[in-house]
Amino acid sequence: DGHGETVLSFLSGVHDIGKCTPAFEKQAPSQYDGIMNNLKSNGFIIPDGIRSKDLRHETSGFVAIRDALIRHGHSMDSANSLAIVIGGHHGKYHIKTIYSSVKRKRKREYGDGVWQSERDAIIDDMFSMNGMEDIDGLLSDTVISMPVQSLMTACVVMSDWIASSTW
C-alpha cells in the first residue's frame, strides 16, 4: 500500500522502547550510581527484588508498542501484527499470551506511572517524527502477514546492528 517505509522507520525507531522499564534499568552496574540516582530523583523508581532477567526488553517492547497502537486506534489484530516485529527483534517471536503475562505478573518489572508516561511520550514522538500519525488511520485494520513480519524484523535487526556498531 506504499506505507511500508514509514511503518518500518517507525518500528526501527522504537524497537528498544522496552528498555524504558525498571527491569532493564536494573542491569546498570554499581559504577552508574549517578545515573541511578538521577532516575530515582525524577520518579523512575526501581523496586527492590526485581531481576532484569524476569522481563526482557523485547517482551516489554512488544507490550508497549501493542498498547500504543491500540491507543492510536489500531484493531487488536493490527496492533499484534506490528508489535510482534518489536517482540521478535532478538530472535524469538512473542505470542499473545505474553501480553497478559506482563500486564498481570510483571507489573513491577514493566513499570507504571512515570515509566508508562515516558514510554508513551517516546512512542508518540516517533509517531509524529516518522509520519505514522499521517497514515495511521489507513492502517488501523491492516494485519501484516507473517512473511512481511519476518522481513520487517530482519530490517529492524539490521538497523539495530548498524546503530550499535562502534566502527
Side-chain angles (χ1 to χ4, degrees):
D1 61 6
H3 303 298
E5 184 177 341
T6 300
V7 174
L8 187 55
S9 175
F10 168 71
L11 292 173
S12 294
V14 296
H15 79 276
D16 273 343
I17 193 66
K19 291 182 176 181
C20 185
T21 62
F24 186 83
E25 295 304 324
K26 177 77 172 178
Q27 296 180 64
S30 60
Q31 68 256 32
Y32 296 116
D33 284 342
I35 293 172
M36 300 306 276
N37 288 336
N38 190 25
L39 282 170
K40 186 176 181 179
S41 68
N42 285 288
F44 292 91
I45 305 302
I46 300 174
D48 291 334
I50 65 170
R51 300 174 307 170
S52 58
K53 70 179 185 173
D54 287 339
L55 182 61
R56 292 184 50 89
H57 79 275
E58 65 272 20
T59 304
S60 54
F62 169 85
V63 172
I65 295 302
R66 181 181 178 193
D67 282 351
L69 290 167
I70 290 169
R71 183 169 45 86
H72 280 269
H74 282 252
S75 69
M76 186 72 67
D77 289 338
S78 175
N80 278 328
S81 76
L82 290 168
I84 201 165
V85 171
I86 303 305
H89 86 270
H90 279 288
K92 180 180 178 185
Y93 285 104
H94 295 277
I95 56 174
K96 295 173 191 173
T97 55
I98 297 240
Y99 179 83
S100 60
S101 173
V102 169
K103 291 301 228 180
R104 268 192 350 265
K105 298 178 186 173
R106 298 289 176 219
K107 283 184 176 185
R108 293 180 59 218
E109 290 86 354
Y110 185 64
D112 54 10
V114 69
W115 292 100
Q116 184 65 51
S117 296
E118 191 61 29
R119 284 190 299 267
D120 288 346
I122 292 167
I123 293 167
D124 289 349
D125 283 349
M126 289 303 292
F127 255 85
S128 178
M129 288 191 297
N130 291 84
M132 274 293 284
E133 64 186 15
D134 298 332
I135 64 168
D136 209 32
L138 302 171
L139 301 175
S140 61
D141 289 320
T142 301
V143 176
I144 307 301
S145 68
M146 284 180 155
V148 173
Q149 289 170 345
S150 295
L151 288 171
M152 292 180 96
T153 303
C155 290
V156 168
V157 168
M158 289 302 294
S159 71
D160 194 9
W161 290 349
I162 291 167
S164 298
S165 175
T166 58
W167 47 271

